[in-house]
Amino acid sequence: MNSVASKRLFQEYKHLTTDPPDGITAGPVNEDDLFVWEAMIQGPEGTPYEGGVFPAELKFPKDYPLMPPTMKFLGDIWHPNVYPNGVVCISILHPPGDDPNHYEQASERWSPIQSVEKILISVMSMIAEPNDESPANVDAARMWRERRQEFEKRVRADVRRSLGL
Amino acid sequence: MAETVPALQTSINLPQIIAVALVGFFAIRWYLNKPAGGGTGGGPPGGQDRSRRGGQAVDLTKVEQVAAMFPQLDRRTIAWDLQSNGGNVSATTERVLGGRGLDNPPPSFQPSLPAPGTQAPAVGVSGGAGSKAGGGASAQQDLIARYGLQARIGGKGKEAVPSEEQLRRQAWSSDKAARAEGLRKRREEMVLEARRRMQERDAGA
């Protein structure tokens, strides 16, 4: 029943293993269940997240790739587009079709021609360049907008702490 | 038509009533026992099932027992193995001694274990605080603890640092276990590498 989703996820896993993008590692937590992945994303260089490693959990629906997975960071990440509970808010993870609020183009949203790799790369660039328009973490967004130095200091401190330093 | 009434009456006979009463009795007993017996896990039930339910009550004394024998092992890994084999200390011990090593617990497995060094409370602590399933973003442990890398950041024990290319390009193994192992290694190396670099930067500053 889920063979389409499983096959596709397996293919993507294989591709991400043999030809991983820079700073990204991803794969199923347990191959017996291809619908739960763990990914690690390196903090982009030239940003306060540089030097950090951010693990995240991806959960795929049974009708993947028709519908997008959800993504949740497993550690602290202070970012305007990440909810305080770790859930990532980014257009590529939104179901296909037009945004009822006309914020996002349909092309930015999920569609079956996207992939886990594209999600992770998008999230990486989202980390580097927060989208101020639809903040998921209002406090972080406000700090980013109004007190950039404090924001960066906090992010750097979180990164060090996450590495046990 | 007159036949149907007695037929209905006789269709509920004594054995059936007894059977229903018995089933009901056991159902109630099972239901009442469930919350109390949840933590103590009588017998080895399907380990996978238990872990998926997020019932992360692990007998701390057993974990400590194994940890005392193998101080190099991460307590979380021990707890995971104990949970999957139904709390069988000797099975875990044999597994380690047999050189097979223990499986890495999934990230969602976060039992409430005392910090290493502090003594486990003598009285069985049921994993009440272990309800933080799924690892919310609050009160985080660091990545070193999450991936059980404490033993590898001592500074001593110079490990061969794999070249970047070697790490990046992984051959696709046809063996499932080898693939899982490769993924785990790459993950751990990513964390260790990040820490090394941060330390180098500190030293340079």
Side-chain angles (χ1 to χ4, degrees):
Chain A
M1 194 175 77
N2 299 317
S3 64
V4 176
S6 302
K7 260 186 209 154
R8 159 97 180 226
L9 285 168
F10 194 76
Q11 278 304 320
E12 292 202 40
Y13 175 34
K14 187 171 177 179
H15 176 70
L16 278 167
T17 305
T18 50
D19 188 17
D22 270 336
I24 287 174
T25 298
V29 173
N30 178 350
E31 263 189 53
D32 295 331
D33 179 8
L34 286 168
F35 292 86
V36 182
W37 285 33
E38 188 175 336
M40 309 213 40
I41 300 182
Q42 249 171 30
E45 282 172 28
T47 73
Y49 301 92
E50 179 176 354
V53 178
F54 303 95
E57 182 184 67
L58 287 148
K59 279 194 177 151
F60 297 88
K62 297 295 172 200
D63 53 358
Y64 183 82
L66 294 176
M67 294 303 269
T70 57
M71 182 167 173
K72 182 181 173 184
F73 280 108
L74 298 167
D76 279 328
I77 176 164
W78 183 247
H79 190 284
N81 305 115
V82 180
Y83 285 98
N85 66 1
V87 171
V88 182
C89 178
I90 184 173
S91 56
I92 195 175
L93 290 176
H94 294 162
D98 283 310
D99 181 8
N101 303 321
H102 304 290
Y103 261 129
E104 302 157 358
Q105 309 268 311
S107 58
E108 290 175 1
R109 297 163 73 91
W110 175 258
S111 84
I113 58 164
Q114 310 280 21
S115 63
V116 179
E117 180 175 353
K118 282 187 186 153
I119 292 174
L120 295 175
I121 291 173
S122 300
V123 169
M124 209 178 195
S125 58
M126 175 205 82
I127 292 177
E129 292 166 27
N131 174 1
D132 199 19
E133 276 175 24
S134 57
N137 183 337
V138 180
D139 294 334
R142 189 176 301 143
M143 196 191 269
W144 183 75
R145 217 181 307 127
E146 295 165 6
R147 305 189 300 275
R148 189 66 61 89
Q149 278 197 333
E150 190 183 340
F151 178 89
E152 295 186 350
K153 199 174 151 196
R154 170 163 181 171
V155 169
R156 284 199 194 94
D158 280 351
V159 166
R160 294 186 66 85
R161 189 152 39 82
S162 74
L163 294 173
L165 289 169
Chain B
M1 286 300 278
E3 280 291 305
T4 56
V5 175
L8 267 177
Q9 280 172 340
T10 53
S11 71
I12 302 170
N13 52 25
L14 197 60
Q16 275 176 322
I17 292 169
I18 293 172
V20 168
L22 273 176
V23 170
F25 171 72
F26 282 116
I28 290 168
R29 230 179 72 135
W30 172 77
Y31 182 77
L32 290 179
N33 276 344
K34 206 169 53 161
T40 49
Q48 291 220 318
D49 183 49
R50 291 190 67 203
S51 56
R52 211 163 281 159
R53 275 201 330 243
Q56 303 191 331
V58 179
D59 195 332
L60 287 179
T61 50
K62 286 181 179 170
V63 176
E64 287 304 320
Q65 250 176 303
V66 180
M69 282 184 268
F70 309 105
Q72 80 277 17
L73 290 179
D74 178 30
R75 279 178 169 71
R76 195 169 142 254
T77 314
I78 297 170
W80 175 246
D81 194 69
L82 280 172
Q83 172 161 317
S84 36
N85 68 20
N88 189 334
V89 172
S90 58
T92 302
T93 313
E94 272 167 35
R95 189 165 173 179
V96 178
L97 291 176
R100 279 201 295 146
L102 302 180
D103 290 335
N104 247 28
S108 55
F109 179 70
Q110 301 294 346
S112 56
L113 296 172
T118 56
Q119 203 42 257
V123 195
V125 176
S126 69
S131 56
K132 198 176 72 77
S138 58
Q140 280 301 315
Q141 47 170 181
D142 61 34
L143 297 174
I144 305 301
R146 172 184 288 280
Y147 295 101
L149 301 172
Q150 290 92 337
R152 296 175 60 185
I153 58 170
K156 285 174 281 181
K158 293 275 184 230
E159 290 184 48
V161 177
S163 77
E164 209 152 302
E165 191 57 21
Q166 204 179 333
L167 271 174
R168 248 180 66 79
R169 295 235 158 227
Q170 288 279 325
W172 180 255
S173 167
S174 56
D175 177 38
K176 196 164 118 178
R179 287 198 296 264
E181 179 69 10
L183 182 61
R184 188 180 64 81
K185 276 218 179 98
R186 276 185 295 145
R187 237 184 243 143
E188 290 179 354
E189 199 47 48
M190 230 171 137
V191 174
L192 291 172
E193 169 76 15
R195 194 182 144 99
R196 267 197 300 270
R197 284 203 184 153
M198 190 68 86
Q199 279 173 324
E200 279 170 18
R201 204 175 304 171
D202 288 352

